[in-house]
Amino acid sequence: MAQGDDTTETGTEENLDRLNANLARMEELSKRMVAALGQKDLATDAGLTGPGQDFYMKAGSAYLNDMMTNPGKLIGHQVAYWGRALEHFTEAQKALAAGQLEMPEDEDVPDDPRFANPMWRTHPYFRLVRQQYELNADAINMAVKDLDGLDSKEKQRVEFFSRQIIDLFAPTNYLATNPDALQKAVETEGQSLVDGLENLVRDIEAHHGELLPTLSDPDAFTVGENIGATQGKVVFRNRMMELIQYAPLTEKVHKTPLVIFPPWINKFYILDLKPKNSLIRWVLEQGYTLFVVSWKNPDPSYADVGLEDYVEEGYVQAVETAKEITGEKQVNAVGYCIAGTTLSAALAWMQKRGDKSIKSATFFTTLTDFSDQGEFTVFLQDDFVDAIERQVTEKGILNSYFMSKTMSFLRARDLVYGPAVKSYMMGEAPPAFDLLYWNGDSTNLPGRMAVQYLRELCQKNALAEDGFKILGETVHLRDIKLPVMSIGTKTDHIAPWRQCFVGFEKFGSKDKTFIMSESGHIAGIVNPPSKKKYGHFTSGEMGQGPDAWEEAAEFHEGSWWPRWEAWLKKRSGAQVAARVPGESGHEILGDAPGTYVLEGSTS
């Protein structure tokens, strides 16, 4: 008996010691968090964190007008709301009063992964919390849907920011109303909460007082070692970019080299994550001499850099270098996202100048007509763009944090709140996921370029309408004459395929091919044939708009890569001996992936 008492006392002492250690750790972390929050730049323009006052005035006026002109509709909504809320409360109260901690499961519960725990459907308390949240969300959505007196863009903005509020106040986001987090806290004797606070402090410190969840284990990957590791050499460097020539993987290659221009909002190794899903490696395996641009991550000294600098010192210089190294008069080019938009301007400019250096061009998820701005509409109105202009005037750059935050909040459930719950309340470490690692490795934008892109291309839609002035020429999409292919992705929320198609149809080329891949902005492009995961659609219907194209489209199993390569092969000339970087006598500046990709990197 005495031995049992000793064991009990020992266990109690161990638990007490653990509790005291956790409390001390939480006190230390709390001090670090306060210090980290103090790093936040309080001078940051409020317009970058939310819409301007005009937005609230317009939305409020529209709602007030709706109340005054149609009070019956509002009263009807309120009666229905309070009736359902009272019904749910009464059910929960009866169950709890009877000591009943499990109720019959709800019927017709929405398929929402946030509420996968059975307690959301059977436990009186959590069931009431979920029901009330869903009821509140329905009430907000209905009020916004019925709101009159706003134009389509204003209505879209109200819907977007209402959705942000709904997602923010989900009960899963709070410890007291999250059964999974509470259960884990009990099971781990509070260790999960200590680990979660550790993760929270880490993220606030990493973002200098701002909060954005870390999506991938920052220590799991090293660019140039286990991602972005395809062999090659840096063969050119200037202030805008490094040009990488990759080592061949075949004995013979096509005469015409291929130059890929990735977006400079993120880094080029999205096309070279791992060997099994690397587009760069796959292109080499098909027998091409491949050059890829790695853009400089700009600092405030790049404040005056504009799109013309990207064209002249990036596109033109990369093409000239590839021609010089291979001895060819022409190259084929690829532009991805914003790099595709700028490629279209460069092609139109080259056409005006009589420069035929580019033989054909392929565009990945590229918007060139911004008459419909999709989900980005909410961020492309004057209040946000004015705030960005003030910010870059002061700082010289648009910091990568703002771009990451904007992209994340377009899919807040998956990229903000879901990861935050797992990291901060469950105390889980972020996964070792290469795609999410790349997603967090974003770059800054030069101040002038950012404003130029938003004002001229997005707001004024200059390329598709009145013309975009660049390097002494006014260029239009109709000026593009060479063979072109465009790849859109079916569920893309950044560059919706229909709008990609609308701009592509305005190209002056007679040889135009459009492909729609399944999935989204990244997964639809990084879709290797070996996975056999996403299919694609093709159609010969051009000139009648996206609806006619889609109606005539034929579905094909598997990746679009081989279909694109068959198209590219016809425009790439005969086979010649593979070209090894450096053998032409051109200076080698270092190994791939170069130095620019590591600047400001999370690696």
Side-chain angles (χ1 to χ4, degrees):
M1 189 70 178
Q3 185 176 0
D5 290 342
D6 290 343
T7 303
T8 301
E9 286 183 18
T10 301
T12 302
E13 290 176 0
E14 289 177 353
N15 290 341
L16 185 59
D17 289 343
R18 185 176 181 182
L19 175 62
N20 288 333
N22 281 339
L23 289 173
R25 182 63 180 147
M26 292 182 76
E27 182 178 359
E28 176 191 341
L29 289 168
S30 296
K31 291 178 181 178
R32 278 177 55 193
M33 182 167 66
V34 170
L37 289 170
Q39 299 176 36
K40 184 174 180 177
D41 184 1
L42 298 178
T44 296
D45 197 309
L48 287 172
T49 59
Q53 290 299 316
D54 286 350
F55 167 79
Y56 296 108
M57 291 295 292
K58 288 179 181 177
S61 296
Y63 185 69
L64 182 61
N65 182 66
D66 205 35
M67 289 174 58
M68 299 295 290
T69 58
N70 196 355
K73 181 174 67 176
L74 178 65
I75 293 171
H77 287 172
Q78 288 294 313
V79 169
Y81 173 87
W82 289 115
R84 291 177 61 194
L86 183 59
E87 178 186 343
H88 295 155
F89 176 76
T90 302
E91 289 176 351
Q93 187 182 45
K94 286 181 179 178
L96 291 171
Q100 181 182 352
L101 295 183
E102 186 170 345
M103 301 170 67
E105 283 203 25
D106 275 356
E107 296 180 2
D108 194 29
V109 176
D111 184 16
D112 188 332
R114 294 176 298 178
F115 302 115
N117 190 316
M119 294 182 73
W120 288 115
R121 298 184 296 279
T122 60
H123 190 281
Y125 169 68
F126 291 110
R127 176 165 144 164
L128 175 61
V129 168
R130 176 188 59 77
Q131 288 173 328
Q132 195 61 33
Y133 169 71
E134 291 169 350
L135 187 58
N136 291 336
D138 288 344
I140 293 173
N141 286 329
M142 188 176 297
V144 170
K145 181 181 179 181
D146 291 346
L147 199 59
D148 296 322
L150 296 174
D151 65 31
S152 60
K153 288 185 177 180
E154 290 167 344
K155 184 77 172 287
Q156 188 174 351
R157 300 185 88 202
V158 172
E159 290 171 347
F160 175 82
F161 289 112
S162 297
R163 189 166 65 248
Q164 297 301 311
I165 293 171
I166 291 170
D167 288 343
L168 171 63
F169 286 104
T172 47
N173 295 341
Y174 304 93
L175 180 63
T177 51
N178 187 320
D180 295 300
L182 289 170
Q183 286 175 327
K184 188 164 186 180
V186 172
E187 291 168 1
T188 62
E189 296 180 332
Q191 186 62 47
S192 61
L193 299 181
V194 176
D195 294 340
L197 184 57
E198 179 97 48
N199 294 339
L200 175 62
V201 172
R202 174 204 64 206
D203 287 346
I204 294 175
E205 288 177 337
H207 294 108
H208 307 289
E210 299 280 358
L211 177 59
L212 198 65
T214 297
L215 300 180
S216 176
D217 182 355
D219 300 318
F221 301 101
T222 301
V223 179
E225 294 183 13
N226 56 355
I227 52 174
T230 300
Q231 296 298 303
K233 301 291 183 181
V234 176
V235 293
F236 181 85
R237 179 186 296 121
N238 62 16
R239 66 170 185 152
M240 298 302 298
M241 57 93 181
E242 290 180 325
L243 184 66
I244 300 169
Q245 180 184 356
Y246 282 92
L249 295 178
T250 56
E251 292 184 1
K252 298 282 187 179
V253 295
H254 292 281
K255 283 187 66 178
T256 306
L258 180 66
V259 183
I260 296 180
F261 297 95
W264 50 86
I265 291 175
N266 287 92
K267 298 182 178 178
F268 82 88
Y269 64 87
I270 184 59
L271 300 176
D272 190 33
L273 291 175
K274 294 178 181 176
K276 65 181 181 179
N277 61 356
S278 169
L279 177 64
I280 286 174
R281 184 175 181 84
W282 186 86
V283 166
L284 294 169
E285 290 171 344
Q286 310 315 304
Y288 291 87
T289 302
L290 179 62
F291 296 85
V292 177
V293 167
S294 173
W295 298 103
K296 173 75 173 180
N297 188 1
D299 59 35
S301 69
Y302 282 68
D304 293 328
V305 166
L307 286 168
E308 62 272 20
D309 299 299
Y310 278 88
V311 170
E312 193 169 29
E313 300 179 49
Y315 290 78
V316 174
Q317 186 62 66
V319 168
E320 289 303 312
T321 303
K323 287 166 53 182
E324 178 186 336
I325 289 174
T326 61
E328 298 297 322
K329 294 181 179 180
Q330 290 184 303
V331 307
N332 292 311
V334 175
Y336 192 169
C337 191
I338 189 175
T341 308
T342 310
L343 175 61
S344 69
L347 292 173
W349 178 82
M350 293 171 78
Q351 177 69 29
K352 288 281 185 89
R353 295 294 177 96
D355 187 341
K356 300 184 183 301
S357 296
I358 297 182
K359 191 174 185 180
S360 77
T362 304
F363 300 85
F364 296 167
T365 60
T366 295
L367 288 172
T368 52
D369 183 318
F370 292 85
S371 55
D372 182 350
Q373 299 153 349
E375 294 190 29
F376 274 96
T377 297
V378 297
F379 299 111
L380 292 176
Q381 305 314 300
D382 279 337
D383 51 358
F384 270 100
V385 179
D386 288 348
I388 287 173
E389 192 162 9
R390 290 191 295 268
Q391 182 77 1
V392 300
T393 299
E394 178 186 349
K395 304 292 186 181
I397 55 173
L398 181 61
N399 192 281
S400 63
Y401 170 79
F402 295 110
M403 290 302 301
S404 296
K405 189 174 181 180
T406 299
M407 296 294 186
S408 293
F409 274 92
L410 286 174
R411 289 292 180 269
R413 286 191 193 181
D414 298 328
L415 297 178
V416 179
Y417 301 119
V421 167
K422 290 180 180 179
S423 183
Y424 308 148
M425 289 200 291
M426 306 292 286
E428 297 177 7
F433 190 179
D434 55 356
L435 179 59
L436 291 179
Y437 177 89
W438 166 85
N439 186 71
D441 193 10
S442 55
T443 59
N444 306 319
L445 297 180
R448 183 166 178 270
M449 172 264 142
V451 173
Q452 198 177 11
Y453 177 78
L454 294 171
R455 293 288 191 204
E456 299 296 320
L457 298 184
C458 296
Q459 289 191 321
K460 294 183 180 178
N461 199 19
L463 263 176
E465 295 182 7
D466 295 335
F468 178 56
K469 294 180 180 179
I470 188 167
L471 296 172
E473 303 285 354
T474 299
V475 300
H476 303 77
L477 296 179
R478 62 176 179 267
D479 296 326
I480 300 170
K481 306 294 186 183
L482 75 174
V484 288
M485 175 180 279
S486 178
I487 316 297
T489 54
K490 190 173 183 179
T491 58
D492 197 332
H493 65 286
I494 295 172
W497 80 266
R498 291 176 183 276
Q499 200 58 29
C500 292
F501 188 93
V502 167
F504 188 61
E505 274 196 321
K506 294 181 179 178
F507 285 21
S509 308
K510 293 181 180 179
D511 182 354
K512 286 187 282 194
T513 303
F514 190 87
I515 294 175
M516 180 175 67
S517 174
E518 290 186 308
S519 195
H521 194 71
I522 301 300
I525 297 300
V526 184
N527 179 26
S530 59
K531 284 192 173 183
K532 299 179 181 179
K533 190 171 185 180
Y534 301 119
H536 62 282
F537 298 83
T538 61
S539 172
E541 186 74 37
M542 294 293 296
Q544 303 299 318
D547 291 339
W549 184 93
E550 185 178 28
E551 186 175 345
E554 179 183 357
F555 176 73
H556 307 275
E557 297 283 353
S559 173
W560 56 269
W561 291 9
R563 189 173 301 276
W564 167 60
E565 193 275 326
W567 179 89
L568 186 65
K569 183 187 297 183
K570 295 177 182 178
R571 295 156 180 84
S572 298
Q575 297 270 305
V576 298
R579 298 149 174 143
V580 177
E583 69 176 4
S584 67
H586 195 90
E587 183 182 5
I588 298 298
L589 303 179
D591 293 329
T595 59
Y596 283 179
V597 73
L598 303 178
E599 293 177 347
S601 173
T602 56
S603 58

